[in-house]
Amino acid sequence: MLNFFAAAPKGFEYSLAQELTEFGATEVKESVAGVYFTAPLALAYRITLWTRLASRIVLVIYKGSCESAEQLYNAAYCVDWPAHFSNKSTFSIDFHGTGGFINNTQFGALKIKDAVVDRFRDDDVERPNVSRVDADFKVDAHFRNGVITIAMNFSGPSLHQRGYRSTTGEAPLKENLAANMLVRSGWQAAPSTLLDPFCGSGTVLIEAALMAADIAPGLQRSRFGFEHWRRHDKAVWQEIVEEAKARASLGVKRCEIKFYGSDIDSRLVALAKRNAENAGVLELIEFQVADALTITPPAESGYLITNPPYGERLGNVSELLQLYYQLGDKFKKEFGGWKVAMLCSDIELVSSLKLKADKQMKMFNGALECAFNIYTLHATSTRRDTPVLPDGVDIADIAPAFANRIKKNAKLLEKWAKKEGIDSYRIYDADIPEYNVAVDKYLDYVIIQEYMAPATIPEAVTKRRLSDVLLALPSAIGINPNKMIMKTRERQKGTSQYQKLDERKLELITTEYGAKFKLNLTGYLDTGLFLDHRLTRRLVGQKSKGRRVLNLFSYTGSASVHAALGGAKSVTTVDMSNTYIAWAKDNFALNGLQGKQYEFVQSDCMQWIRDCREQYDLIFIDPPTFSNSKRMEDSFDVQRDHVNLLASLVKLLSPTGELVFSNNKRKFKMDIEALTKMSINVKNIDDITLPMDYKRNPHIHNTWLITHA
């Protein structure tokens, strides 16, 4: 009897232990990411050829306590390595685990390598060569909690590599993960009609067909780790292989289970067919190119087992939520009597199915933790008999309060925006506290930004409400889900994987009171245009005719454009960012504005104010609430520093000049008394600068008109 360890991804331990027990292994004991077992050599061969779940099988040669480098060396040296492999074979050491005296795995591997080489030399045998790539004999060592396990890689390259894949899709599902899905779903125990509507490169269907046709998963593998082991019994191994070949030949002919696969990507379907042909099961599987939402049940009952998309690109979350919701609706209406098993990494997507799971378990797809949910669809199950809108979402069923409010807002604001001559505006701003988001419309796109939820509300509740918002929006305002973009101002877990800023640029041109501006909806947290400053920009334009205008902390220069279009004598645009200065120049070019009277300066605005010797008739400044940029000499806090800032700016203001000062600090308090003592007049103009689409949130910004006393 020999001692082995079968390694597998986390979450496989129970299934793998059951499989090994069924093979006839003894002393089966689950561990972390694998199972220990005992078996004679012939059974070990059979398990290696037939296991559908293990990633690797190692033969344990030594296991004992280890508390020093010397003990590690001695543990490896005491093994009779010349009895295990020839010095004509190359070898390598795979070392896993650190702690105690082992700071890194290379140190552990080096100690074992030295012991192996020394053992050969001390046995008067010429030392074997080390090969880091494709070694003939691989030593597998694990160090954990002061215990060293030294083993031989019995199986060779990872067992999930069956040998039938020519290439894979963009998000390949490992073969043993597909097998575990089939086992845990209950399909393997009672095989019946199987459907995968997101088949990709066909892995789930091919693994199922291999099971049903009694084909050993390792039959096409070209290499095994024991082939260069000196105790390898070629005759016994060959007998087991020949038996497996005979079973496979009979199994394909006798298989009566029907398999159906489809995918919307014709390239992937063609790849799935090639893989199935390589595996010898193409005749058992019917593949077609089809949208998952258009498929029909191929039988009265069966299993639908799939790994649907759960993309991580910005914007995909909206489309995916819609897809999952519509899938759940379709399953309920058309797949009564079926079982559905679905693997997905995002719980919010799974919850959008609106199905109640019989079982929920965790599986790992590589490093990605996934939920594997199993549902029973009863033949009498139907969704309520309310009309379904064209995109498949019934807004009466999902977030009705939010859907009705934003639908009403959108209808009202659309008429207003058309009359105003604008095409980008806010249509929802946390009107209902439970749905704490802002929704901005940019032409035919919308951007959703989530506000920080109160600490008293559980995170799961806020995630669910956000999912419902994204589900309800397309129907409520008549927008394509792929034109919805989700952003957040704070990285969070879960759904936030979809909220990362996209490296791709989604650029649009928006119009505002005759001015044109370039937007980038995905490249940055903000789009390039602060919509709440719309009336402030127009005011700057109205006050600019024949005046020398200065725009500080200019961002993308939108106020400067309004000033230039308003007939300013000159416009100076200052910002610390080269990116925003270049963006401001693009906005000027969009509006046909060019000439020496338009100056663009990349500089620390605070330092620029101190150095400036010019005077201006109109100054617009919208500083950050707080900044400690490395490019600035000092930090800036608008509440703390606004008096000194405005006092410095008034010195640059002509005797009849005006200064428009704005900031977004919600609890900002202007120190009018201090400024009055400096002979500075201050007048709040929030009432004329707050746009209609922001009146629901009057604290969005503060705007002040400042002049000499």
Side-chain angles (χ1 to χ4, degrees):
M1 299 294 285
L2 303 170
N3 296 318
F4 294 90
F5 179 76
K10 285 194 292 184
F12 279 46
E13 295 90 348
Y14 175 78
S15 303
L16 180 56
Q18 294 292 109
E19 182 187 55
L20 292 169
T21 301
E22 290 171 6
F23 281 133
T26 56
E27 298 182 43
V28 176
K29 182 181 178 182
E30 294 178 37
S31 183
V32 177
V35 178
Y36 287 99
F37 69 96
T38 300
L41 182 60
L43 180 57
Y45 284 148
R46 188 175 298 279
I47 289 172
T48 303
L49 185 65
W50 283 92
T51 179
R52 301 184 189 276
L53 301 176
S55 300
R56 184 176 70 258
I57 294 175
V58 299
L59 170 62
V60 178
I61 300 174
Y62 176 92
K63 186 175 183 179
S65 62
C66 182
E67 297 178 356
S68 67
E70 184 180 5
Q71 281 188 322
L72 176 62
Y73 175 89
N74 290 338
Y77 183 85
C78 75
V79 175
D80 185 3
W81 293 110
H84 284 286
F85 71 100
S86 165
N87 64 339
K88 304 297 182 183
S89 299
T90 58
F91 79 103
S92 65
I93 314 292
D94 290 329
F95 195 96
H96 309 272
T98 56
F101 69 94
I102 297 180
N103 294 322
N104 60 72
T105 56
Q106 288 183 338
F107 172 79
L110 182 62
K111 280 293 176 186
I112 293 178
K113 186 269 292 183
D114 290 343
V116 172
V117 169
D118 290 349
R119 181 59 191 260
F120 270 90
R121 284 174 173 166
D122 291 350
D123 284 5
D124 293 326
V125 180
E126 186 178 341
R127 60 157 287 179
N129 291 324
V130 175
S131 175
R132 293 184 179 180
V133 181
D134 293 333
D136 299 325
F137 186 91
K138 292 186 177 182
V139 178
D140 194 278
H142 283 254
F143 180 74
R144 186 182 180 193
N145 297 330
V147 175
I148 185 68
T149 303
I150 300 174
M152 177 193 92
N153 186 332
F154 192 79
S155 56
S158 181
L159 288 169
H160 82 267
Q161 298 170 356
R162 316 291 203 215
Y164 59 73
R165 275 182 171 168
S166 45
T167 56
T168 60
E170 293 180 2
L173 189 71
K174 285 187 176 180
E175 294 87 335
N176 59 341
L177 175 56
N180 197 32
M181 290 166 62
L182 293 161
V183 171
R184 297 308 299 270
S185 69
W187 180 88
Q188 187 193 36
S192 61
T193 301
L194 180 62
L195 168 66
D196 183 354
F198 298 97
C199 71
S201 56
T203 309
V204 170
L205 294 165
I206 294 170
E207 288 297 313
L210 291 175
M211 290 179 182
D214 196 28
I215 299 175
L219 201 53
Q220 292 194 35
R221 284 168 56 85
S222 58
R223 289 181 58 193
F224 290 90
F226 50 69
E227 291 173 348
H228 288 270
W229 182 43
R230 280 190 154 168
R231 299 177 186 178
H232 171 42
D233 191 327
K234 293 182 180 179
V236 172
W237 168 244
Q238 195 57 42
E239 183 180 337
I240 291 170
V241 170
E242 292 302 321
E243 177 204 330
K245 288 179 179 179
R247 287 171 60 176
S249 179
L250 283 173
V252 172
K253 296 174 184 176
R254 293 175 178 175
C255 181
E256 297 180 354
I257 308 297
K258 301 293 184 182
F259 301 92
Y260 300 88
S262 60
D263 200 284
I264 200 168
D265 189 334
S266 59
R267 180 183 59 85
L268 287 178
V269 172
L271 178 58
K273 288 181 178 179
R274 286 201 300 274
N275 289 340
E277 185 175 19
N278 293 341
V281 293
L282 179 59
E283 64 188 88
L284 303 179
I285 308 172
E286 183 179 311
F287 288 105
Q288 65 171 324
V289 178
D291 186 330
L293 295 174
T294 66
I295 60 167
T296 56
E300 290 186 3
S301 63
Y303 280 78
L304 189 157
I305 303 176
T306 191
N307 173 40
Y310 33 89
E312 297 185 1
R313 296 195 307 275
L314 180 70
N316 267 4
V317 60
S318 306
E319 294 177 87
L320 288 171
L321 284 167
Q322 298 290 327
L323 171 63
Y324 277 67
Y325 182 86
Q326 293 176 64
L327 278 173
D329 192 61
K330 183 179 183 67
F331 292 161
K332 281 189 173 184
K333 290 177 178 177
E334 301 179 22
F335 281 79
W338 280 65
K339 277 191 176 290
V340 172
M342 189 173 287
L343 183 76
C344 181
S345 71
D346 194 286
I347 192 65
E348 300 310 312
L349 291 176
V350 175
S351 68
S352 297
L353 290 167
K354 305 300 180 185
L355 298 174
K356 186 176 180 181
D358 300 336
K359 293 181 181 178
Q360 296 176 303
M361 56 196 84
K362 290 181 182 179
M363 289 188 188
F364 282 81
N365 187 0
L368 193 64
E369 183 179 312
C370 297
F372 185 62
N373 286 8
I374 302 168
Y375 309 88
T376 299
L377 302 176
H378 300 290
T380 57
S381 176
T382 58
R383 190 175 291 281
R384 64 183 67 182
D385 296 324
T386 49
V388 178
L389 296 174
D391 66 358
V393 177
D394 176 6
I395 63 171
D397 206 25
I398 300 293
F402 168 80
N404 291 331
R405 175 62 65 90
I406 199 167
K407 186 177 183 181
K408 181 180 177 182
N409 288 358
K411 186 176 181 180
L412 176 67
L413 290 168
E414 186 176 3
K415 295 178 181 178
W416 163 80
K418 190 174 182 180
K419 184 179 178 181
E420 287 284 297
I422 60 177
D423 51 23
S424 297
Y425 50 93
R426 178 156 290 186
I427 55 177
Y428 179 89
D429 197 357
D431 300 29
I432 302 171
E434 288 81 4
Y435 300 102
N436 199 21
V437 298
V439 182
D440 294 324
K441 189 172 190 293
Y442 292 91
L443 285 76
D444 55 348
Y445 286 81
V446 295
I447 290 182
I448 304 102
Q449 296 192 60
E450 184 182 18
Y451 291 123
M452 178 81 70
T456 54
I457 300 178
E459 186 180 3
V461 173
T462 61
K463 286 182 180 180
R464 185 64 47 81
R465 287 173 179 170
L466 177 59
S467 296
D468 287 348
V469 162
L470 297 176
L471 275 171
L473 261 175
S475 293
I477 61 174
I479 189 168
N480 191 320
N482 64 15
K483 292 192 173 183
M484 292 165 49
I485 298 166
M486 181 71 209
K487 292 188 179 181
T488 184
R489 293 188 177 271
E490 184 163 337
R491 292 290 297 275
Q492 298 176 2
K493 297 179 180 179
T495 311
S496 70
Q497 64 180 303
Y498 303 102
Q499 299 162 11
K500 295 181 289 188
L501 295 186
D502 204 320
E503 294 179 357
R504 302 167 300 160
K505 287 184 178 180
L506 175 55
E507 294 187 346
L508 303 175
I509 305 299
T510 189
T511 302
E512 174 185 283
Y513 302 127
K516 294 179 180 178
F517 299 109
K518 183 181 80 171
L519 305 172
N520 185 344
L521 301 191
T522 58
Y524 303 90
L525 190 59
D526 294 305
T527 64
L529 190 68
F530 296 131
L531 300 181
D532 60 300
H533 279 161
R534 188 187 309 113
L535 293 182
T536 310
R537 288 190 289 270
R538 185 172 71 168
L539 180 65
V540 169
Q542 292 168 343
K543 289 179 173 291
S544 293
K545 190 173 179 67
R547 297 175 114 179
R548 297 164 295 176
V549 179
L550 171 64
N551 182 7
L552 287 160
F553 295 100
S554 63
Y555 190 37
T556 58
S558 50
S560 299
V561 169
H562 274 284
L565 293 174
K569 181 179 179 180
S570 66
V571 181
T572 301
T573 303
V574 185
D575 196 275
M576 189 162 56
S577 166
N578 273 320
T579 299
Y580 291 146
I581 288 294
W583 200 327
K585 291 178 181 179
D586 289 344
N587 282 335
F588 267 66
L590 263 179
N591 290 276
L593 299 169
Q594 55 183 345
K596 294 181 179 179
Q597 69 273 35
Y598 306 131
E599 183 183 6
F600 300 90
V601 181
Q602 184 271 313
S603 176
D604 170 2
C605 290
M606 305 304 293
Q607 183 61 48
W608 188 90
I609 293 169
R610 290 192 287 269
D611 295 341
C612 180
R613 299 294 179 264
E614 301 292 327
Q615 280 208 321
Y616 297 90
D617 307 308
L618 179 63
I619 298 175
F620 173 62
I621 181 166
D622 176 33
T625 299
F626 178 81
S627 178
N628 60 352
S629 171
K630 292 179 181 179
R631 294 188 183 181
M632 295 176 65
E633 291 185 7
D634 304 304
S635 67
F636 174 81
D637 183 295
V638 71
Q639 184 63 67
R640 181 192 68 199
D641 300 324
H642 75 277
V643 172
N644 290 336
L645 171 64
L646 294 174
S648 299
L649 284 172
V650 167
K651 294 177 182 178
L652 308 183
L653 202 60
S654 65
T656 59
E658 296 176 294
L659 189 156
V660 178
F661 169 68
S662 178
N663 73 78
N664 288 71
K665 185 175 177 64
R666 289 179 178 266
K667 295 183 179 180
F668 176 78
K669 291 183 179 180
M670 178 71 82
D671 193 342
I672 297 176
E673 184 180 350
L675 292 170
T676 301
K677 289 179 180 178
M678 298 179 187
S679 298
I680 297 173
N681 279 341
V682 179
K683 179 184 178 183
N684 183 274
I685 55 172
D686 287 351
D687 57 334
I688 63 170
T689 60
L690 187 65
M692 177 179 169
D693 48 331
Y694 282 86
K695 288 192 182 295
R696 300 181 301 281
N697 191 352
H699 304 296
I700 192 71
H701 67 240
N702 313 279
T703 312
W704 308 80
L705 186 63
I706 295 169
T707 58
H708 291 286

PDB file of all heavy atoms in Angstrom, residues 418-436:
ATOM      1  N   LYS A 418     -34.712  70.355 -23.681  1.00  0.00           N
ATOM      2  CA  LYS A 418     -34.847  70.735 -25.097  1.00  0.00           C
ATOM      3  C   LYS A 418     -35.062  72.231 -25.227  1.00  0.00           C
ATOM      4  O   LYS A 418     -34.479  72.894 -26.102  1.00  0.00           O
ATOM      5  CB  LYS A 418     -36.004  69.958 -25.717  1.00  0.00           C
ATOM      6  CG  LYS A 418     -36.096  70.093 -27.233  1.00  0.00           C
ATOM      7  CD  LYS A 418     -37.173  69.168 -27.782  1.00  0.00           C
ATOM      8  CE  LYS A 418     -37.219  69.273 -29.313  1.00  0.00           C
ATOM      9  NZ  LYS A 418     -38.266  68.380 -29.880  1.00  0.00           N
ATOM     10  N   LYS A 419     -35.897  72.787 -24.361  1.00  0.00           N
ATOM     11  CA  LYS A 419     -36.180  74.224 -24.376  1.00  0.00           C
ATOM     12  C   LYS A 419     -34.934  75.024 -23.997  1.00  0.00           C
ATOM     13  O   LYS A 419     -34.663  76.091 -24.561  1.00  0.00           O
ATOM     14  CB  LYS A 419     -37.315  74.525 -23.400  1.00  0.00           C
ATOM     15  CG  LYS A 419     -37.762  75.971 -23.390  1.00  0.00           C
ATOM     16  CD  LYS A 419     -38.911  76.156 -22.414  1.00  0.00           C
ATOM     17  CE  LYS A 419     -39.340  77.620 -22.363  1.00  0.00           C
ATOM     18  NZ  LYS A 419     -40.444  77.826 -21.391  1.00  0.00           N
ATOM     19  N   GLU A 420     -34.120  74.479 -23.040  1.00  0.00           N
ATOM     20  CA  GLU A 420     -32.919  75.171 -22.584  1.00  0.00           C
ATOM     21  C   GLU A 420     -31.771  75.105 -23.592  1.00  0.00           C
ATOM     22  O   GLU A 420     -30.845  75.904 -23.546  1.00  0.00           O
ATOM     23  CB  GLU A 420     -32.440  74.562 -21.259  1.00  0.00           C
ATOM     24  CG  GLU A 420     -33.299  74.909 -20.064  1.00  0.00           C
ATOM     25  CD  GLU A 420     -33.068  76.325 -19.580  1.00  0.00           C
ATOM     26  OE1 GLU A 420     -31.949  76.650 -19.150  1.00  0.00           O
ATOM     27  OE2 GLU A 420     -34.025  77.120 -19.643  1.00  0.00           O
ATOM     28  N   GLY A 421     -31.807  74.106 -24.462  1.00  0.00           N
ATOM     29  CA  GLY A 421     -30.712  73.931 -25.411  1.00  0.00           C
ATOM     30  C   GLY A 421     -29.549  73.158 -24.823  1.00  0.00           C
ATOM     31  O   GLY A 421     -28.381  73.475 -25.068  1.00  0.00           O
ATOM     32  N   ILE A 422     -29.869  72.144 -24.011  1.00  0.00           N
ATOM     33  CA  ILE A 422     -28.834  71.293 -23.425  1.00  0.00           C
ATOM     34  C   ILE A 422     -29.197  69.831 -23.668  1.00  0.00           C
ATOM     35  O   ILE A 422     -30.367  69.496 -23.847  1.00  0.00           O
ATOM     36  CB  ILE A 422     -28.675  71.538 -21.903  1.00  0.00           C
ATOM     37  CG1 ILE A 422     -29.991  71.244 -21.174  1.00  0.00           C
ATOM     38  CG2 ILE A 422     -28.208  72.953 -21.629  1.00  0.00           C
ATOM     39  CD1 ILE A 422     -29.907  71.384 -19.675  1.00  0.00           C
ATOM     40  N   ASP A 423     -28.189  68.963 -23.696  1.00  0.00           N
ATOM     41  CA  ASP A 423     -28.468  67.537 -23.897  1.00  0.00           C
ATOM     42  C   ASP A 423     -27.785  66.656 -22.850  1.00  0.00           C
ATOM     43  O   ASP A 423     -27.748  65.442 -22.982  1.00  0.00           O
ATOM     44  CB  ASP A 423     -28.076  67.082 -25.312  1.00  0.00           C
ATOM     45  CG  ASP A 423     -26.669  67.479 -25.705  1.00  0.00           C
ATOM     46  OD1 ASP A 423     -25.849  67.699 -24.786  1.00  0.00           O
ATOM     47  OD2 ASP A 423     -26.396  67.590 -26.907  1.00  0.00           O
ATOM     48  N   SER A 424     -27.240  67.273 -21.792  1.00  0.00           N
ATOM     49  CA  SER A 424     -26.660  66.522 -20.680  1.00  0.00           C
ATOM     50  C   SER A 424     -27.183  67.128 -19.384  1.00  0.00           C
ATOM     51  O   SER A 424     -27.027  68.333 -19.154  1.00  0.00           O
ATOM     52  CB  SER A 424     -25.128  66.587 -20.709  1.00  0.00           C
ATOM     53  OG  SER A 424     -24.627  65.976 -21.886  1.00  0.00           O
ATOM     54  N   TYR A 425     -27.808  66.292 -18.541  1.00  0.00           N
ATOM     55  CA  TYR A 425     -28.423  66.825 -17.328  1.00  0.00           C
ATOM     56  C   TYR A 425     -28.688  65.687 -16.348  1.00  0.00           C
ATOM     57  O   TYR A 425     -28.632  64.503 -16.709  1.00  0.00           O
ATOM     58  CB  TYR A 425     -29.720  67.568 -17.651  1.00  0.00           C
ATOM     59  CG  TYR A 425     -30.684  66.799 -18.534  1.00  0.00           C
ATOM     60  CD1 TYR A 425     -31.699  66.003 -17.983  1.00  0.00           C
ATOM     61  CD2 TYR A 425     -30.588  66.859 -19.925  1.00  0.00           C
ATOM     62  CE1 TYR A 425     -32.571  65.302 -18.783  1.00  0.00           C
ATOM     63  CE2 TYR A 425     -31.457  66.146 -20.742  1.00  0.00           C
ATOM     64  CZ  TYR A 425     -32.445  65.371 -20.169  1.00  0.00           C
ATOM     65  OH  TYR A 425     -33.310  64.658 -20.970  1.00  0.00           O
ATOM     66  N   ARG A 426     -28.979  66.037 -15.093  1.00  0.00           N
ATOM     67  CA  ARG A 426     -29.244  65.054 -14.041  1.00  0.00           C
ATOM     68  C   ARG A 426     -30.735  64.737 -14.017  1.00  0.00           C
ATOM     69  O   ARG A 426     -31.565  65.644 -14.016  1.00  0.00           O
ATOM     70  CB  ARG A 426     -28.783  65.586 -12.689  1.00  0.00           C
ATOM     71  CG  ARG A 426     -29.070  64.653 -11.515  1.00  0.00           C
ATOM     72  CD  ARG A 426     -28.124  64.904 -10.360  1.00  0.00           C
ATOM     73  NE  ARG A 426     -26.771  64.460 -10.718  1.00  0.00           N
ATOM     74  CZ  ARG A 426     -25.742  64.441  -9.862  1.00  0.00           C
ATOM     75  NH1 ARG A 426     -25.903  64.843  -8.616  1.00  0.00           N
ATOM     76  NH2 ARG A 426     -24.550  64.019 -10.261  1.00  0.00           N
ATOM     77  N   ILE A 427     -31.062  63.432 -13.972  1.00  0.00           N
ATOM     78  CA  ILE A 427     -32.475  63.056 -13.959  1.00  0.00           C
ATOM     79  C   ILE A 427     -32.909  62.422 -12.630  1.00  0.00           C
ATOM     80  O   ILE A 427     -34.101  62.222 -12.416  1.00  0.00           O
ATOM     81  CB  ILE A 427     -32.819  62.108 -15.129  1.00  0.00           C
ATOM     82  CG1 ILE A 427     -31.923  60.868 -15.126  1.00  0.00           C
ATOM     83  CG2 ILE A 427     -32.738  62.842 -16.453  1.00  0.00           C
ATOM     84  CD1 ILE A 427     -32.263  59.870 -16.220  1.00  0.00           C
ATOM     85  N   TYR A 428     -31.948  62.132 -11.767  1.00  0.00           N
ATOM     86  CA  TYR A 428     -32.318  61.553 -10.468  1.00  0.00           C
ATOM     87  C   TYR A 428     -31.174  61.807  -9.510  1.00  0.00           C
ATOM     88  O   TYR A 428     -30.008  61.641  -9.875  1.00  0.00           O
ATOM     89  CB  TYR A 428     -32.585  60.052 -10.600  1.00  0.00           C
ATOM     90  CG  TYR A 428     -32.945  59.355  -9.308  1.00  0.00           C
ATOM     91  CD1 TYR A 428     -34.273  59.266  -8.890  1.00  0.00           C
ATOM     92  CD2 TYR A 428     -31.971  58.791  -8.508  1.00  0.00           C
ATOM     93  CE1 TYR A 428     -34.607  58.630  -7.696  1.00  0.00           C
ATOM     94  CE2 TYR A 428     -32.295  58.152  -7.318  1.00  0.00           C
ATOM     95  CZ  TYR A 428     -33.618  58.076  -6.917  1.00  0.00           C
ATOM     96  OH  TYR A 428     -33.950  57.443  -5.740  1.00  0.00           O
ATOM     97  N   ASP A 429     -31.504  62.237  -8.279  1.00  0.00           N
ATOM     98  CA  ASP A 429     -30.453  62.527  -7.308  1.00  0.00           C
ATOM     99  C   ASP A 429     -30.901  62.095  -5.917  1.00  0.00           C
ATOM    100  O   ASP A 429     -31.261  62.915  -5.079  1.00  0.00           O
ATOM    101  CB  ASP A 429     -30.123  64.025  -7.323  1.00  0.00           C
ATOM    102  CG  ASP A 429     -28.776  64.316  -6.654  1.00  0.00           C
ATOM    103  OD1 ASP A 429     -28.147  63.370  -6.139  1.00  0.00           O
ATOM    104  OD2 ASP A 429     -28.358  65.486  -6.647  1.00  0.00           O
ATOM    105  N   ALA A 430     -30.874  60.793  -5.693  1.00  0.00           N
ATOM    106  CA  ALA A 430     -31.265  60.227  -4.396  1.00  0.00           C
ATOM    107  C   ALA A 430     -32.615  60.759  -3.951  1.00  0.00           C
ATOM    108  O   ALA A 430     -32.830  61.018  -2.765  1.00  0.00           O
ATOM    109  CB  ALA A 430     -30.184  60.512  -3.351  1.00  0.00           C
ATOM    110  N   ASP A 431     -33.546  60.906  -4.900  1.00  0.00           N
ATOM    111  CA  ASP A 431     -34.885  61.407  -4.565  1.00  0.00           C
ATOM    112  C   ASP A 431     -35.541  60.541  -3.491  1.00  0.00           C
ATOM    113  O   ASP A 431     -36.248  61.030  -2.619  1.00  0.00           O
ATOM    114  CB  ASP A 431     -35.784  61.402  -5.809  1.00  0.00           C
ATOM    115  CG  ASP A 431     -35.249  62.283  -6.933  1.00  0.00           C
ATOM    116  OD1 ASP A 431     -34.016  62.439  -7.002  1.00  0.00           O
ATOM    117  OD2 ASP A 431     -36.054  62.803  -7.724  1.00  0.00           O
ATOM    118  N   ILE A 432     -35.324  59.230  -3.608  1.00  0.00           N
ATOM    119  CA  ILE A 432     -35.859  58.276  -2.635  1.00  0.00           C
ATOM    120  C   ILE A 432     -34.665  57.734  -1.847  1.00  0.00           C
ATOM    121  O   ILE A 432     -33.757  57.134  -2.434  1.00  0.00           O
ATOM    122  CB  ILE A 432     -36.605  57.131  -3.341  1.00  0.00           C
ATOM    123  CG1 ILE A 432     -37.742  57.701  -4.201  1.00  0.00           C
ATOM    124  CG2 ILE A 432     -37.141  56.127  -2.339  1.00  0.00           C
ATOM    125  CD1 ILE A 432     -38.406  56.687  -5.096  1.00  0.00           C
ATOM    126  N   PRO A 433     -34.625  57.936  -0.522  1.00  0.00           N
ATOM    127  CA  PRO A 433     -33.438  57.572   0.270  1.00  0.00           C
ATOM    128  C   PRO A 433     -32.995  56.121   0.098  1.00  0.00           C
ATOM    129  O   PRO A 433     -31.802  55.817   0.152  1.00  0.00           O
ATOM    130  CB  PRO A 433     -33.885  57.844   1.712  1.00  0.00           C
ATOM    131  CG  PRO A 433     -34.951  58.888   1.578  1.00  0.00           C
ATOM    132  CD  PRO A 433     -35.668  58.574   0.296  1.00  0.00           C
ATOM    133  N   GLU A 434     -33.968  55.208  -0.121  1.00  0.00           N
ATOM    134  CA  GLU A 434     -33.599  53.800  -0.256  1.00  0.00           C
ATOM    135  C   GLU A 434     -32.764  53.534  -1.508  1.00  0.00           C
ATOM    136  O   GLU A 434     -32.000  52.576  -1.556  1.00  0.00           O
ATOM    137  CB  GLU A 434     -34.861  52.926  -0.298  1.00  0.00           C
ATOM    138  CG  GLU A 434     -35.588  52.810   1.025  1.00  0.00           C
ATOM    139  CD  GLU A 434     -36.487  54.006   1.304  1.00  0.00           C
ATOM    140  OE1 GLU A 434     -36.605  54.895   0.424  1.00  0.00           O
ATOM    141  OE2 GLU A 434     -37.078  54.059   2.383  1.00  0.00           O
ATOM    142  N   TYR A 435     -32.937  54.382  -2.523  1.00  0.00           N
ATOM    143  CA  TYR A 435     -32.184  54.214  -3.775  1.00  0.00           C
ATOM    144  C   TYR A 435     -31.245  55.403  -3.889  1.00  0.00           C
ATOM    145  O   TYR A 435     -31.520  56.389  -4.564  1.00  0.00           O
ATOM    146  CB  TYR A 435     -33.143  54.089  -4.956  1.00  0.00           C
ATOM    147  CG  TYR A 435     -34.052  52.892  -4.802  1.00  0.00           C
ATOM    148  CD1 TYR A 435     -35.374  53.032  -4.391  1.00  0.00           C
ATOM    149  CD2 TYR A 435     -33.561  51.612  -5.029  1.00  0.00           C
ATOM    150  CE1 TYR A 435     -36.190  51.918  -4.216  1.00  0.00           C
ATOM    151  CE2 TYR A 435     -34.368  50.500  -4.856  1.00  0.00           C
ATOM    152  CZ  TYR A 435     -35.686  50.659  -4.450  1.00  0.00           C
ATOM    153  OH  TYR A 435     -36.475  49.553  -4.271  1.00  0.00           O
ATOM    154  N   ASN A 436     -30.088  55.248  -3.203  1.00  0.00           N
ATOM    155  CA  ASN A 436     -29.183  56.363  -2.946  1.00  0.00           C
ATOM    156  C   ASN A 436     -28.151  56.515  -4.070  1.00  0.00           C
ATOM    157  O   ASN A 436     -26.964  56.263  -3.888  1.00  0.00           O
ATOM    158  CB  ASN A 436     -28.489  56.116  -1.600  1.00  0.00           C
ATOM    159  CG  ASN A 436     -27.903  57.373  -1.018  1.00  0.00           C
ATOM    160  OD1 ASN A 436     -28.298  58.476  -1.372  1.00  0.00           O
ATOM    161  ND2 ASN A 436     -26.954  57.215  -0.120  1.00  0.00           N
TER     162      ASN A 436
END
